[in-house]
Every structure is written in structure tokens, then in C-alpha cells.
Amino acid sequence: MTSFVETVHDGRVSTMTINRPDKLNALSPEVLSDLKAAIEETARRDEVRAAVITGTGKAFVAGADIAAMRDMDEAEARGFGALGHDVFNTLEQLRFPVIAAVNGFALGGGCELALACDFIYASTKAKFGQPEVNLGIIPGFGGTQRLPRRVGPGLARELIYSGKVIDANEALRIGLVNALFEPDQLLARAQKTAADIATKGPLAVAAAKRLIRDGVDIPLTQANKRERDAFGELFDSADQAEGMTAFLEKRAPDFKGA
Ligand code: COA
């Protein structure tokens, strides 16, 4: 059965590509279901330590599928929103980091998908925006919440109220994107960063991911307590002994994720 999401597993790094170029990778219910299946299949592979998500053609994802949404009634729209949230939450909860490699348009649900990843690399040709107000709706897959957490509430308000589309340089300037690359370099650079992360202690990276992700929503004192607990717990791992012994023996560590 063909899927709208193609996954390539290359050792410790998996790359998921949204593949519906004739509709600019728009997120229909089918594409979202395929994306969830791809995420879950990747998560089941113990060897995976980092992942990349990108799109085929001139878009990363040009949004939720407008043709599929047009005739939805309220109940159907609630269900569609719940599906998008479920898929993006599943992505955000993965134990390993995910880099969005934004190769082109990341509009609406595409921008929200990138925001559900740990951080964003983009092509110099990428464009970002939350244009839902042009359609009489709002971001429905987490944009009103994740965008202000990433770029701050003032910039998020301006982007969401105006629906304006910004170019890659502007996205870099406001901190939505971590780095820009020439289009033909983007995927390789994202995969290289993923491969580099994959050499680090996987329990440590997973703990850092969890603490950063969950810490923004709780009081600082509580978040710092979680950090203290996680810091201590890591000293109960073989990887901590391996990492520090390898340093003192002047060799590369061989982390097992235990
Ligand atoms: N939902 C459904 N179909 C979409 C889509 C979306 N979000 N975005 C693009 N498409 C489809 C177009 O309808 C078109 O289909 P067709 O060839 O059958 O007519 C095809 O993808 C190519 O798009 P097109 O608009 O012709 O490309 P373009 O290069 O002229 O414009 C965009 C690119 C991204 C500016 C434009 O497609 C656009 O504005 N898309 C919608 C963005 C949006 O509002 N997203 C938020 C949705 S909530």
C-alpha cells in the first residue's frame, strides 16, 4: 500500500518525507494518518536516535487540505483538529530529537508541523506563515500555542492576526528557524546534525528533550527540580560511566542507551 509519507532508516537516523507534491503536501486526513503511522513505526525502532522531517517538491507542507476542510461541519472540523493535534503531539513526545528540514512553503499546518519538531533548519527559499485567517479560520494544529512559545507572543500575534507570509531570512531573524542552507544542501545538513546528535548519550539527549519540552509549561522551581532529578538519575546509567571514562581515556564513547 502506498503511503504519503516515505521513511528511510539509515542506521541511527530516520528521514520522513511527506510526499504529495501535486497538492504541495497538503495535510489531508490520509496524509496525517500516514504521518502518524510513520512516526510510530520509527519510534518502535530501538536504534533510532534522531530524525528529520522534510517534504517533496517546492513545499514542506502548504497547510491543512483546504479542499478536504471546505465542507466540514463543526463536528467534523473538531475531529480533524483532534487528528492533527494527536499526530503532532505524538511527534513532539518522541524520545529522540526531530529536525524539520523546511524545503519550501511551510504554511498553516506546515508551519505547525515544523513547530512540533525540536528545531527548524530551512532552505533559503523557504516561506513561513499562519494564513488561516485568510480562510476565516485559525491555526488548528497547535499554532496559537507553539508559535508564541517559539518566537514570543508579540511576533506570533502579528503573524497569526495578519496571516502574512515571511521569507527564510525573516524566519531566521525572529528565531523561528535555527539556520538557513542552500536548497541542495538543506537535507544533507539536517541529516548531518541528526547524525551528530545520534552519537551523543541517548538517555541524556532524551532527558534534555523532555525537560525542555515540558519545562516551559510549569513553574521554574518545579522545572528545575525535575532537572535535578534527571541529572541524578543519569548517574545510574552505564552511559554516564562510559562517557566519563572515555573522556579520561581520551577515546570516543560508545553509548548503549542504558
Ligand atoms: N490545501 C489543498 N490544496 C492545496 C493547498 C492546501 N493547503 N495548498 C496548495 N494546494 C493545491 C492547489 O489547490 C493546487 O492544486 P491544483 O493543481 O489541483 O489546482 C496545487 O496544490 C498547487 O498549488 P498552487 O496554488 O497552484 O501553487 P502556487 O505555487 O501557485 O501557490 C501557495 C503556492 C502555497 C502560495 C498556494 O498554494 C497557497 O496559498 N496554498 C494555501 C496556503 C494556505 O492557506 N494554507 C493554510 C491552510 S489552513
Side-chain angles (χ1 to χ4, degrees), residues 16 39 43 89-98 209 213:
M16 289 174 256
I39 293 165
N89 287 340
T90 303
L91 176 63
E92 196 174 48
Q93 294 292 326
L94 284 170
R95 69 183 182 280
F96 47 79
V98 182
K209 170 169 178 153
R213 181 192 62 215

Side-chain angles (χ1 to χ4, degrees), residues 20-27 58-59 61-69 105 107-110 112 129-132 134-135 137-140 165:
R20 193 193 181 200
D22 56 322
K23 297 292 181 189
L24 305 190
N25 303 325
L27 300 174
K58 70 177 179 184
V61 165
D65 189 323
I66 298 167
M69 286 190 293
F105 293 108
L107 303 178
E112 293 168 298
Q130 298 286 166
E132 288 87 350
N134 294 324
L135 304 168
I137 60 169
I138 58 168
V165 173

